[in-house]
């Protein structure tokens, strides 16, 4: 009984760690794609640089916030 409980707790910790890692990787890839796309847009339309940069920063902040919530949720699962 105790060994089964420890195994389940170990799997929960493993799942939490994998979830936090995937959230971090996903956020990094998303922010990288946003940055690359913004640079392409600025290269095509230099006069819209201010609007593009503002939208890029806001979107990056939203992605960071979502990733932070995902990592925090995974941390609470670990106990």
């Amino acid at each position: 009984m105790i060994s089964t409980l420890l195994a389940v707790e170990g799997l929960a910790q493993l799942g939490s760690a994998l979830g936090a890692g995937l959230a971090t990787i996903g956020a990094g890839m998303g922010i990288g794609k946003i940055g690359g796309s913004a640079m392409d847009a600025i290269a095509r339309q230099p006069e819209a640089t201010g609007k593009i940069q503002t939208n890029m920063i806001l979107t990056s902040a939203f992605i960071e916030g979502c990733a932070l919530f995902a990592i925090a949720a995974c941390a609470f699962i670990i106990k």
Side-chain angles (χ1 to χ4, degrees), residues 15-63:
S16 297
L18 287 173
L22 288 174
T24 305
I25 290 169
M29 289 175 61
I31 291 172
K33 183 145 177 71
I34 290 169
S37 297
M39 293 301 109
D40 287 342
I42 289 171
R44 289 189 184 112
Q45 245 181 342
E47 66 273 3
T49 299
K51 286 184 176 183
I52 294 169
Q53 284 180 343
T54 302
N55 288 330
M56 177 187 70
I57 291 169
L58 283 172
T59 306
S60 296
F62 292 145
I63 290 176

Side-chain angles (χ1 to χ4, degrees), residues 64-74:
E64 272 303 314
C66 289
L68 182 63
F69 283 128
I71 292 169
C74 289

